[in-house]
């Protein structure tokens, strides 16, 4: 399904009934990274997934991309779907957007799930790498990222034992728009530091991390758990940065247990 959101056609799915859960996808994938969660949770909840502008089947739009743009897109989509308050689950870049959404729309967050993400900003070296990658993608297209990103996105166990997951991630990356990927890289390079926000989060929160996540390792997840007043932590074993794709059953169980406690 598609809706006009703030001047841009956004592709989304809205399935099931009950308390709303919105899943925010990672860079540089699309909403189909949440297929297993959509199937599992829509039996008892109303589940919404969507493609960020410039990703999947959503239009790019004319503007530069910021996390506030993504937060405002999410708020407008919720308005269109007549959802006042939702459980927000963001993974990686989706987690950065979840922080931005909470910063601006805290009353609309019933609970927060932060998976394989972190509140801090990039180092100067990290920012430079993102800018260089954006230029490379604009020049050569999304497939230039495959060799660079797959070893960082997926844990060693997945890369060695789950070729279907590797192929699925490769396909999602390759199908995205080069300019959408480039703008997202610039957006993440300039994202604000959300570390001080942690202590202000009043919603119940679940932190999830893959035990093999090298981009946002378990030590980062522990800091978030300790920084948010009402937070718990779940480690997904034999999973890297895309823990929901690498170990969907364990991920779903962790989220389901958290939701049952709300």
């Amino acid at each position: 399904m598609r809706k006009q959101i703030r001047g841009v056609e956004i592709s989304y799915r809205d399935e099931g009934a009950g308390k709303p859960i919105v899943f925010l996808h990672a860079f540089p994938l699309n909403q189909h990274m949440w297929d297993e969660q959509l199937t599992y949770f829509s039996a008892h909840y109303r589940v919404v997934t969507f493609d960020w502008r410039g990703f999947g089947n959503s239009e790019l739009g004319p503007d530069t991309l910021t996390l506030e743009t993504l937060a405002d897109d999410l708020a407008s989509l919720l308005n269109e779907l007549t959802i006042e308050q939702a459980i927000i689950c963001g993974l990686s870049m989706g987690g950065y957007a979840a922080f931005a959404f909470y910063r601006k729309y805290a009353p609309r967050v019933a609970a927060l799930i932060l998976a394989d993400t972190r509140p801090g900003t990039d180092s100067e070296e990290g920012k430079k790498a993102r800018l260089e990658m954006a230029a490379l993608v604009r020049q050569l297209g999304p497939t230039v990222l495959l060799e660079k990103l797959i070893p960082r996105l997926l844990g060693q166990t997945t890369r060695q034992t789950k070729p279907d997951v590797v192929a699925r991630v490769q396909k999602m990356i390759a199908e995205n728009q080069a300019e959408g990927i480039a703008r997202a890289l610039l957006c993440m390079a300039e994202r604000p530091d959300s570390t001080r926000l942690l202590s202000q989060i009043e919603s119940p929160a679940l932190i999830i991390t893959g035990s093999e996540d090298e981009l946002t390792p378990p030590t980062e997840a522990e800091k978030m758990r300790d920084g948010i007043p009402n937070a718990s932590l779940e480690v997904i074993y034999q999973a890297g940065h895309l823990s929901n794709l690498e170990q969907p059953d364990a991920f779903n169980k962790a989220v389901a247990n958290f939701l049952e406690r709300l």
Side-chain angles (χ1 to χ4, degrees), residues 39-55:
T39 299
Y40 183 87
F41 288 103
S42 62
H44 300 287
Y45 296 88
R46 182 181 180 184
V47 178
V48 176
T49 70
F50 66 101
D51 294 324
W52 296 120
R53 54 173 67 199
F55 288 84

Side-chain angles (χ1 to χ4, degrees), residues 63-91:
D63 304 322
T64 57
L65 196 64
T66 68
L67 288 177
E68 187 172 358
T69 304
L70 300 183
D72 290 343
D73 285 349
L74 172 55
S76 296
L77 179 60
L78 292 180
N79 292 343
E80 287 288 328
L81 299 178
T82 62
I83 296 173
E84 179 58 35
Q85 190 180 61
I87 298 154
I88 304 296
C89 176
L91 190 147

